[in-house]
Amino acid sequence: MKKIGILFGQENSFPQAFVDRINQKAEKNISAEFVRLDKVMQAEPLDYAVIVDRISQDVPYYRAALKNAAICGTAVINNPFWWSADEKFFNNALAVKLGVPVPKTVILPSKELPDDTTEKSFRNLAYPLDWDGIFNYIGFPAYMKPFDGGGWKEVYQLNNRADFFKNYDKTKQYVMMLQEEVVFDDYFRCYCIGGKHVRIMQYEPRNPHHLRYEHGKAPASKKILETIKNYVIKLNQYLGYDFNTVEFAIRDGIPYAIDFCNPAPDAEVTSVGQENFEWVVETAADYAIERAKSQKDGLDNLTWGEYVKTSAAKTPLVNVSVKPVKDDVSVGKVDHGIEAEGKVKKEKVVKLVKEKAAKEKPKKVAKK
């Protein structure tokens, strides 16, 4: 029996739905459960063919346990070695090399000295930095955010130099990125599973969290959707993520990749909506089963991205020999705008009540 486990934290809906969906499929010799760790011994395998990781970014103990499991043959989704090494500034640099548009971005040293360092630790750092060169390159308005953070933590919107220095002084030991503001006409958040299954969702990050998928915008053009799909697949294949989200801001018809380092993306039904939730549960379950079937004990069963492969092979980054994948793309739909939300829900309830009443109404008996 091959077991698929899911390792998670404060999530409520996705982990249980994921486990239930796999077990409902009743694949021969495959089952799913919540991961249970009572001891982790060096070079000793865990009893899982596949583990879906949703929490090790916040729990170093879990990350160490997953690396140990991987070296013993567990297929960990996502690759814990790459996830440990990756960060947003590198992702932007990789996107530039791949020809995917991204906002102009620079990285900044932490405002405060890291623990166990002194000013002598930074003798290679010019002081002051070339602030004029940086500001002329980025422009204002701009955003500042951690180079390896997430969840909108420590994100600052900046309108001018004075605004920048006032907020930069608050950033403590965070290493920050300064990034140009992309004023967008449309916005998309895209799930990518297995480097081939893509769910494109129109999204409005300026809305309250529970209404960000209730955008009320006209459907995007086929050209935009095709470009987004190609960028999503390319980025995830080169990064090597099995489960990730990519966000795009559309400016003057061009999709700019804003954020694509989300290896434990939000999948709660209360935030993504029922239709998107159903897609991610079904697709993640099928992909985990696929990985379990191909898993070989004692071998490396991790996904390694094209960036790592081309580096190891000493071949060009954009390698013409990379095989195209047979993609699977779906587009989430919203049939109403936010301003109409209450009205639509009321109309749907009235319609359901009428339909139910019609079904329960006794049929007339023909007179003899």
Side-chain angles (χ1 to χ4, degrees):
M1 176 68 73
K2 287 191 172 185
K3 290 198 298 187
I4 298 170
I6 184 167
L7 189 68
F8 63 100
Q10 300 182 49
E11 287 182 288
N12 292 313
S13 55
F14 177 71
Q16 187 66 62
F18 172 78
V19 167
D20 290 345
R21 186 64 54 89
I22 290 174
N23 291 331
Q24 287 164 7
K25 290 177 180 291
E27 292 278 348
K28 185 177 180 181
N29 296 324
I30 291 179
S31 66
E33 65 182 37
F34 296 161
V35 170
R36 176 175 170 78
L37 299 176
D38 59 3
K39 59 182 176 299
V40 178
M41 297 178 290
Q42 61 186 11
E44 292 288 335
L46 296 177
D47 190 23
Y48 295 96
V50 176
I51 293 177
V52 175
D53 174 20
R54 305 281 295 163
I55 189 59
S56 76
Q57 73 277 9
D58 293 330
V59 185
Y61 171 77
Y62 286 160
R63 182 63 59 84
L66 290 173
K67 290 178 178 178
N68 190 68
I71 204 172
C72 296
T74 297
V76 181
I77 301 174
N78 287 292
N79 183 331
F81 296 98
W82 176 249
W83 194 349
S84 296
D86 191 26
E87 37 82 1
K88 295 178 185 293
F89 188 69
F90 168 80
N91 283 3
N92 268 39
L94 179 63
V96 171
K97 297 296 185 182
L98 296 177
V100 178
V102 291
K104 290 180 286 186
T105 307
V106 298
I107 194 165
L108 305 171
S110 59
K111 179 63 179 177
E112 297 180 3
L113 296 179
D115 294 340
D116 301 320
T117 67
T118 68
E119 291 182 359
K120 288 185 178 180
S121 305
F122 291 86
R123 283 182 282 189
N124 296 100
L125 184 66
Y127 185 83
L129 297 181
D130 181 8
W131 294 116
D132 288 337
I134 290 171
F135 296 150
N136 289 337
Y137 173 65
I138 298 296
F140 287 103
Y143 282 91
M144 184 168 57
K145 56 188 177 182
F147 86 121
D148 61 351
W152 289 91
K153 296 176 183 176
E154 301 296 327
V155 176
Y156 301 90
Q157 186 177 25
L158 313 168
N159 295 309
N160 50 50
R161 292 173 67 112
D163 212 9
F164 168 82
F165 286 112
K166 180 182 72 175
N167 287 286
Y168 185 45
D169 286 344
K170 301 175 183 177
T171 57
K172 302 176 184 177
Q173 294 185 15
Y174 287 105
V175 176
M176 306 295 284
M177 298 193 310
L178 183 64
Q179 192 169 77
E180 73 165 315
E181 181 182 50
V182 175
V183 180
F184 55 87
D185 309 308
D186 209 346
Y187 201 95
F188 295 86
R189 188 167 186 258
C190 310
Y191 281 118
C192 187
I193 295 178
K196 56 188 176 183
H197 305 292
V198 179
R199 176 74 168 179
I200 301 175
M201 303 169 288
Q202 273 182 293
Y203 186 73
E204 179 47 80
R206 295 166 293 200
N207 283 349
H209 188 75
H210 67 292
L211 292 176
R212 288 180 181 175
Y213 295 89
E214 304 278 345
H215 51 77
K217 296 175 182 175
S221 70
K222 289 183 179 180
K223 182 180 178 181
I224 288 287
L225 294 176
E226 181 69 14
T227 301
I228 287 174
K229 177 207 75 173
N230 291 336
Y231 284 166
V232 169
I233 290 174
K234 178 180 281 189
L235 288 169
N236 280 280
Q237 284 192 341
Y238 272 85
L239 290 168
Y241 283 129
D242 302 301
F243 198 153
N244 191 20
T245 54
V246 183
E247 295 183 14
F248 291 94
I250 312 301
R251 181 173 68 185
D252 299 329
I254 299 173
Y256 287 81
I258 298 296
D259 187 9
F260 42 104
C261 186
N262 299 295
D266 179 15
E268 284 293 281
V269 66
T270 51
S271 57
V272 303
Q274 187 63 49
E275 185 181 339
N276 295 323
F277 180 74
E278 172 61 26
W279 183 92
V280 76
V281 169
E282 178 70 11
T283 308
D286 284 343
Y287 182 66
I289 291 169
E290 176 187 326
R291 291 293 296 277
K293 289 179 177 179
S294 63
Q295 184 263 351
K296 305 291 184 185
D297 289 337
L299 299 181
D300 180 355
N301 292 285
L302 299 174
T303 296
W304 294 95
E306 294 300 326
Y307 171 74
V308 172
K309 291 178 183 177
T310 55
S311 297
K314 306 294 184 184
T315 56
L317 178 64
V318 183
N319 193 343
V320 293
S321 67
V322 175
K323 295 180 181 179
V325 297
K326 185 177 180 182
D327 54 62
D328 165 33
V329 182
S330 67
V331 180
K333 294 181 177 61
V334 174
D335 61 359
H336 63 277
I338 301 168
E339 66 279 358
E341 187 184 18
K343 179 183 177 183
V344 171
K345 286 182 177 178
K346 183 178 179 181
E347 288 174 349
K348 286 182 177 178
V349 170
V350 172
K351 182 180 177 183
L352 289 171
V353 170
K354 288 181 178 179
E355 288 176 350
K356 185 177 180 181
K359 289 179 181 178
E360 294 176 352
K361 188 176 180 180
K363 295 180 181 179
K364 291 182 179 179
V365 180
K367 293 182 178 179
K368 292 183 181 179

